[in-house]
Amino acid sequence: MLISELSKRSGISIPTLRYYENFGLFKGYSDESVKTNNYKDYDESLLEKITLIKEAKTAGFTLSEIKKLLESWFDRRLSVEQKIDIVSIKIKEIEEKMRQLRTVKKLLADCIIDIRNGDC
Amino acid sequence: MLISELSKRSGISIPTLRYYENFGLFKGYSDESVKTNNYKDYDESLLEKITLIKEAKTAGFTLSEIKKLLESWFDRRLSVEQKIDIVSIKIKEIEEKMRQLRTVKKLLADCIIDIRNGDC
DNA sequence: TACTAGTATATAGTATACTTCATACTTGTA
DNA sequence: TACAAGTATGAAGTATACTATATACTAGTA
């Protein structure tokens, strides 16, 4: 598919998709048989990858972190154990973030009690 | 306490503390009785406030959001119900973030299974 | 074939959250 | 009293993640 379709189906603007591609998060390939243009074709499977990018971003990971994760995924030079290590570290980071969120949530819940009691 | 002590006890660098103060997250007051300098004094209770700032930040909230939250806390013009509304919205946002984190965690856990199966 | 819409690339600008630097004054110790 | 260390302020620089602008070419329809 072309970039406009990718944009519509992923819900990410064309400039942002280009920024991501430029950043190295994924790559489109221009059809070699078509010589009149260099329009890039984006594979169907990219949508799944982009979903992960979006979710990892809302989870608070930076583009660099996401890039590293995606690279480890498809890097044939890494052993199974190495790949699992990289992903496991990210899972631990997510667990840490969830702990932080629970803490803040508790602080805010306590705050509501204080507000009701007129303590702030 | 002076800024260097606040920095040590909060674990936040002096320039960052100054940036936060300038941003309006909190305020130090220079002792009126001391006329030779304008060193600012930071209250003991600030440490608690700064803990919240740190945690809210790791939870993914921006300084503007945190500022708004802190302001609502201490704004006497807001009614109890208005304050509760503001805090409740943040709690909902935290819950949404936790959902996202669970999704990404699941994606990564599935990924580990795929790696073990040699699927990526 | 003119024209509108789409695509590619490069460069500049924006917002957030700092960090660094320069300058100037103050405090405390040798 | 010299001087190192601390404090305040303002301005510039940095990194991240976009967003906008300019330019040029291509594709599809009237």
Side-chain angles (χ1 to χ4, degrees):
Chain A
M1 72 186 94
L2 293 180
I3 198 153
S4 61
E5 190 184 339
L6 184 64
S7 172
K8 269 179 203 123
R9 290 176 64 187
S10 67
I12 292 181
S13 75
I14 292 173
T16 301
L17 285 173
R18 294 212 165 106
Y19 177 78
Y20 285 172
E21 178 165 6
N22 208 270
F23 192 89
L25 293 184
F26 56 78
K27 209 168 155 18
Y29 297 90
S30 36
D31 191 339
E32 294 299 322
S33 65
V34 179
K35 279 174 181 152
T36 45
N37 69 29
N38 62 336
Y39 289 10
K40 282 176 188 160
D41 181 70
Y42 298 93
D43 199 72
E44 198 72 18
S45 70
L46 249 182
L47 286 166
E48 205 183 336
K49 210 171 180 177
I50 290 175
T51 302
L52 182 122
I53 294 170
K54 278 167 67 176
E55 270 155 358
K57 262 181 52 58
T58 27
F61 292 106
T62 64
L63 294 187
S64 300
E65 289 175 310
I66 296 167
K67 187 182 174 184
K68 209 171 152 189
L69 196 62
L70 290 171
E71 275 170 358
S72 81
W73 231 289
F74 301 102
D75 190 341
R76 287 169 184 282
R77 289 166 304 175
L78 294 174
S79 73
V80 167
E81 290 313 313
Q82 283 172 317
K83 287 184 182 190
I84 288 175
D85 278 354
I86 292 168
V87 178
S88 299
I89 287 168
K90 281 285 160 249
I91 289 177
K92 285 216 170 57
E93 284 174 22
I94 287 173
E95 283 164 355
E96 179 55 34
K97 274 184 186 153
M98 288 177 84
R99 257 193 297 283
Q100 297 279 357
L101 283 169
R102 267 192 293 275
T103 306
V104 178
K105 189 179 165 183
K106 194 168 175 339
L107 278 167
L108 295 186
D110 289 349
C111 168
I112 284 188
I113 295 167
D114 288 350
I115 291 171
R116 276 201 210 286
N117 293 339
D119 290 351
C120 65
Chain B
M1 72 188 96
L2 293 179
I3 197 153
S4 61
E5 189 185 341
L6 185 64
S7 172
K8 268 178 204 124
R9 290 176 65 187
S10 67
I12 292 180
S13 75
I14 293 175
T16 301
L17 285 174
R18 292 215 230 260
Y19 176 78
Y20 286 173
E21 179 166 6
N22 208 269
F23 192 89
L25 292 184
F26 56 80
K27 207 165 157 20
Y29 297 90
S30 36
D31 191 340
E32 294 299 322
S33 63
V34 179
K35 280 178 180 147
T36 46
N37 70 29
N38 61 336
Y39 288 9
K40 282 177 189 162
D41 181 70
Y42 298 94
D43 198 73
E44 197 74 18
S45 71
L46 248 181
L47 287 165
E48 205 184 334
K49 209 171 179 177
I50 289 174
T51 302
L52 182 123
I53 293 170
K54 278 166 69 176
E55 270 154 359
K57 262 182 51 61
T58 26
F61 292 107
T62 65
L63 295 187
S64 300
E65 289 174 312
I66 295 167
K67 187 181 175 186
K68 210 171 151 188
L69 198 60
L70 290 171
E71 276 171 356
S72 79
W73 231 290
F74 300 102
D75 190 341
R76 287 169 183 280
R77 287 167 305 176
L78 293 174
S79 72
V80 167
E81 289 313 313
Q82 282 173 317
K83 287 183 181 191
I84 289 175
D85 277 356
I86 292 168
V87 179
S88 299
I89 287 169
K90 281 287 159 248
I91 289 178
K92 284 219 169 57
E93 283 173 24
I94 287 173
E95 282 164 355
E96 180 55 34
K97 275 185 184 151
M98 288 177 84
R99 256 194 296 282
Q100 297 279 356
L101 283 168
R102 268 193 292 276
T103 305
V104 178
K105 189 179 165 184
K106 194 168 176 339
L107 278 168
L108 295 185
D110 289 350
C111 169
I112 285 189
I113 294 168
D114 287 351
I115 291 171
R116 276 201 210 287
N117 294 339
D119 291 351
C120 63

